[in-house]
Each structure stands twice: as C-alpha cells, then as structure tokens.
Amino acid sequence: MEKLVIHGGNRLTGEVEISGAKNAAVAIIPATLLAQDVCRIENIPNISDVITMEHILKNMGARIRYINKHTIEIDTKPVNSYIVPHEMTKKLRASYYLIGALLGRYNRAKVSLPGGCDFGVRPIDLHIKGFELLGATATVENAMINASADHLTGSAVYMDKVSVGATINVMLAAVKARGLTIIENAAKEPHIVDLANFLNAMGADVRGAGTDVIKIHGVNELHGCTYSIIPDQIEAGTYMVAAAATHGDVLIKNVIPKHLESISAKLIECGAEVIEYDDAVRVIGAETFRHCNLKTMPHPGFPTDMQPQMSVILTIAQGTSLVSEGVWDNRFRYIDQLIRMGANVQVDGKIAVIQGVEELTGAPVRADDLRAGAAMIIAGLIARGTTEVENIIYIDRGYEDYVEKLRDLGADIYRKEIHDDTPRTGAAS
Ligand code: EPZ
C-alpha cells in the first residue's frame, strides 16, 4: 500500500501530455465483443480501470496483444461466455457495459452488479428500461443482472434522466438490433461521441452522437477496426486547475480545446488566463483568485468530474463561492478532508458554500474517490507545509503516471510505502 507525500508551494511550469480518455476506453474495450474479429486500439491510457477491463475480457477468453504502452489488439473470436462473475466486476463500475455488449453479441448477458465510486445511490433503472424496450427481459437476482432476448428489435428509448452509462449501454445493445433505435435525451459527453465513432469504424450505423438524439440503424455483422481514443477531457481539466491553483504557467498538450470550454470559462472567471491552440491549452494562474459560482451539469455544462478539483481553487479565492452538484446526490465527501487543511466550507445536500481563506495548510488526508483524490493532490500542491494522501489506489484508476507528470512540472510529490506497523500481539486492541 502507498501514500503520496506532497510539499506544497511550488508553481507548476512547463509542458504535460494528456493520455487517452478513461471513460471512452472503458466503453470501447467491451464494445470489441460486438465483432468476432480483431480490433487495434491506440492512445489507450495505462491506468488500472483499463487494465481491469482488459483482464475481464481475457477472463472471458479474448486474446489481447500489447503492441506498446498505449496500443493493444483485442481478438474476441475466442470469447465463449456471456457470464461475468462478481470477482471480475466488483472493481469497476463500467463493467456494466458488458451487459449491452454481450446482449449485442449473444442476445444473452449475465453480469454481476458493478462496484465503483460511491457518491450516493447509483441506480441502473435506465439501463434496464433500455434493454427491455429493445425486447430483452432483464432481472436482478443474487446481485447479477440477467438479460436475454430471442432477438433485439430497434425501439424509441427516452431517457428520463441524462445518463452516460445508460446511453452507452443502449448504444451497445442496439447496433445489431433489427431496425431503428432512437435514443432521446441522450448524454452528449465526448466519450459518447468517441464510442459512436468506434462503433461506426466497426461497421455500425450510429448517427447524432453528441446531440440529444442518437439514431442507430441495426446491422447484421460488425468487423474489426483500428481506432485511436480521444484525449481525456477530465485529466486535461485536472492539470488546467492544478496549473492555475499553483499560480503556474503550463502548456497542456494533446487535448481537444472544444471539450474543455466549460472548464476554461470557469478558470477565466476566477482570474486565470487560458490560451487555446489547435491541440493544446496554456493555463497561467492568477496571483489571487476571484470567487465564482459553479453548477455541475451533463455535457456541455461544467463536468461533475471536475467539481472537486475546481472547488480547491475556490477555497483560496477572495469572497464566497456557491458550488451546486447537479448530477450526483453526495459528491461532497471530500470537503471534510479540505476542512482538515483549513478550508472554510459548509455543505447542505447538493450545495457547498465556500468562504475563501488566505491559504490551506498541509495535513494527512485521504482520497474518497478518484476525482476527490485529484482534488487532494491539488490542495497539497498549494498548501503551506506537507500533505500526505492515503487511498491513492483510487487515483491510480484514472490518472496515468500522475506523480511523474507532476514532478516534471516542478511539483514536490512522491509515493511512499505504508508499512502496517500495528503490533501483532494476541491481546485484543
Ligand atoms: C459516468 O458515470 C462516469 N463514469 C462518471 O465518471 C461521471 O461522473 C458520470 O458519467 C456523469 O458524467 C464512467 O463513464 C465510467 P450517469 P455513470 O449514468 O454512467 C442517474 C469518473 O470520475 N442515473 O451519467 O454511472 C445517476 O444516479 C466517473 O470518471 C439514474 O437515475 O453516470 C446520476 O444521478 C465518476 N438511473 C445521473 O443519472 C440510471 O439507470 C447521471 O449518472 C443511471 C443513472
């Protein structure tokens, strides 16, 4: 087990290269099950969520060739099961994409309910509603989702709430269904568009991804393809916030600036400078930050996955800021950790009121989930003194080589082994 040790106060300067998008990769890898062929996937991020998903496919019989650190070839011809057990799915929420992919391949899927970051209730009713509208029966027994159909038939699927996962799962099940599927009130995140482009590269007919309405004409067969995953919008946004918060000057490379518009706008509102290039953004931090209000929304609104990171800047901004979490029921658990570092925040349900303070001070804190962990790192980078972050296994799930990338930018951060030194005595403690 490891923790991070961060000595705060260094400005981040220089250049950082963004990796492939985690939330696209964890959808595209299961999508390879829709063809009995070989898919070559490039710009895949080297993070534990992706490695876990690769292991699940290998456990199902797929052959994976590792061409280099960011390129794999997946051959799903040998896959011979529609069952995915608990020990494989418990580590990864995105494992539920296997239901849509296996339905598309076998008209059958039996997948253990997923794990994943805990921000309160994470229902899957919209996923099940979509599968049923396509003609499947879907039941939950013994924490397994059991879905089956004689065949899948295209249908109109209206999403009561905008849901990334449900949109993706219905896309996966619909690409080989008979006839036309129309997903209305669809999620529009960049990774939805990336999955649609991947499916079309495999021979599917998906139109309208990135808008509220996605139309899918079912096809009989899909084939292998070569595809390069888009840059990670949230990793890029995290480095943008870290650059600004440390009053730094960083060129963030291999990005799609259009995906970052809401983050750039919010940083500029707080006083930072953001300069856009074709495939990079330069972020220059302000000496002092203005307070601002933040409401997270589905894309193209401000991403919920950037809420903890942006809140760190607001803890040292001048004045009072209001942060409203528009997607998850309980995504403020990390605030307790920021309060340990001297932040002045009141949370009431889905609203946090942040009163800016002069500075944060280093403290032992923990990561409660992936993006909360990223926020703890940013807080440690700007705090006076030393911060230690535990539970960094969460951060390893979604940020490739983040310690090395931050050290290259001038951060004083390193991993430290945690030895469990509790005395091994017989006496009850
Ligand atoms: C995806 O989660 C992302 N995970 C999350 O990112 C992200 O926070 C979220 O989308 C929103 O952008 C992956 O892509 C692997 P949703 P997902 O379905 O699909 C409700 C990260 O840090 N809902 O869009 O699970 C749900 O409760 C992770 O990378 C239903 O009510 O999110 C929530 O309030 C954390 N019924 C809202 O919709 C359903 O059947 C949005 O959830 C499904 C969802």
Side-chain angles (χ1 to χ4, degrees), residues 6-9 241-242 245-246 308-309 311-313 315-316 334 337-338 341 343 359-363 365 372-387 389:
I6 306 167
H7 299 297
V241 170
T246 58
Q309 299 93 307
S311 295
V312 173
I313 284 190
T315 65
I316 56 165
Y334 68 95
Q337 304 300 309
L338 288 181
M341 300 176 73
E359 63 174 2
L360 297 183
T361 51
V365 293
M376 291 305 115
I377 291 177
I378 296 170
L381 292 174
I382 65 173
R384 174 167 50 81
T386 301
T387 298
V389 185

Side-chain angles (χ1 to χ4, degrees), residues 11-22:
R11 294 178 61 240
L12 297 188
T13 58
E15 300 186 352
V16 63
E17 189 85 25
I18 297 305
S19 303
K22 167 178 85 82

Side-chain angles (χ1 to χ4, degrees), residues 100-154:
L102 289 168
L103 270 178
R105 180 182 176 111
Y106 292 118
N107 291 322
R108 223 29 263 261
K110 195 169 180 185
V111 179
S112 177
L113 277 170
C117 296
D118 173 14
F119 323 120
V121 181
R122 294 189 76 175
I124 58 165
D125 56 307
L126 296 177
H127 301 239
I128 290 176
K129 172 185 169 183
F131 298 144
E132 290 174 340
L133 284 168
L134 293 175
T137 55
T139 56
V140 178
E141 302 163 5
N142 313 108
M144 299 280 285
I145 302 160
N146 204 335
S148 65
D150 296 335
H151 58 268
L152 296 172
T153 307

